[in-house]
Structures are given as C-alpha cells and as structure tokens.
C-alpha cells in the first residue's frame, strides 16, 4: 500500500501543491484503496478520482481560512444512535460494558434519543393552535 500511495503522491502532487490538500487527497486515496470493491477499479483510476476530488475542494474552498472540525459531536451522535438501535429495554448494563460508558450514561442516552425519536414521529398538537393565535392576535 505504501508503494501505491507514494506513486500517487509523486504522480499528482508537485512540490508547490498545498500541503493540506495533498494530505486530504492522500487520505482519500488510502481509504479507497482499503475497500476491496473499489480497489478493483485499479490504482490509476482511483488516484485520478482522488486527485479530481482534491482539485474540486481546492477550487471550492481554496484561499479561505478553513477549519475542519474533528467531528466529535457527529461521532457521539452516531454512537448514541447505535446504542438506541441495540437497546432492547433490559440491556442497560450490557450496553454500558460494550460502549465503555456507565449505566447511568446509557440511561441518559436512551432517554434523549427516545425523546428525539418521538418528536420526529409525532407532530406538536399545540403548534397549529399557537400559529392561529398569533395570526388573530389572541
């Protein structure tokens, strides 16, 4: 894999190419090369695709002061959704052990995600009444 990555870097990125974009393109390439179904496309095609994506990023956000967040909230949200999907009603302790959290934290997550799920499924009965009152001035 290191050889393919080095060839990719040498072929597409010159010394004047922005270092951060080179890193982004290389990470995309390495990630795609790890997927057996995509690896079947061939290193050259994947490398060209990765460079094309990197160039699109460069032309879209190049010259801006870009901050890329670590995405911790996204990771926590993804973890919490996974916990919710695994929840059976009686497996708080097992989920706590599996995810390295306290049972109390699992209960908090379940409560929060359950509330969010209910809000998505049920409309607010009073929203229509409130909107009508605002419209009439009552």
């Amino acid at each position: 894999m290191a050889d393919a990555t080095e060839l990719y870097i040498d072929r597409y990125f010159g010394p004047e190419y922005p270092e951060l974009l080179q890193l982004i393109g290389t990470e995309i390439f390495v990630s795609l090369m790890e997927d057996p179904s995509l690896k079947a496309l061939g290193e050259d095609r994947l490398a060209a695709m990765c460079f094309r994506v990197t160039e699109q990023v460069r032309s879209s956000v190049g010259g801006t002061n870009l901050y890329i967040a670590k995405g911790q909230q996204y990771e926590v949200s993804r973890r919490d959704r996974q916990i919710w999907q695994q929840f059976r009603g009686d497996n708080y302790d097992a989920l706590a052990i599996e995810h390295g959290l306290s049972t109390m934290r699992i209960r908090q997550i379940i409560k929060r995600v359950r509330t969010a799920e209910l809000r998505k499924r049920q409309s607010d009965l009073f929203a229509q009444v409130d909107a009508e009152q605002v419209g009439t001035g009552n």
Side-chain angles (χ1 to χ4, degrees), residues 1 4-5 8 26-47 50:
M1 179 71 71
T5 304
Y8 167 70
T26 302
E27 289 298 321
I28 293 170
F29 177 71
V30 168
S31 179
L32 294 179
M33 286 295 293
E34 290 173 353
D35 184 325
S37 64
L38 294 175
K39 194 172 184 176
L41 294 173
E43 292 175 3
D44 289 338
R45 188 161 181 203
L46 283 177
C50 292

Side-chain angles (χ1 to χ4, degrees), residues 75-76 78-87 91-103 105-106 109-110:
E75 290 294 326
V76 167
R78 203 168 84 183
R79 179 206 64 198
D80 292 356
R81 294 281 172 203
Q82 181 181 12
I83 289 169
W84 172 251
Q85 290 170 352
Q86 294 173 324
F87 181 62
N91 61 336
Y92 292 102
D93 292 332
L95 290 171
I97 291 168
E98 180 180 341
H99 293 278
L101 300 169
S102 69
T103 303
R105 183 67 187 129
I106 294 293
I109 290 168
I110 296 298

Side-chain angles (χ1 to χ4, degrees), residues 55-68:
E55 280 293 283
Q56 184 64 41
V57 170
R58 184 186 59 77
S59 66
S60 297
V61 297
T64 65
N65 188 11
L66 177 65
Y67 168 77
I68 300 174

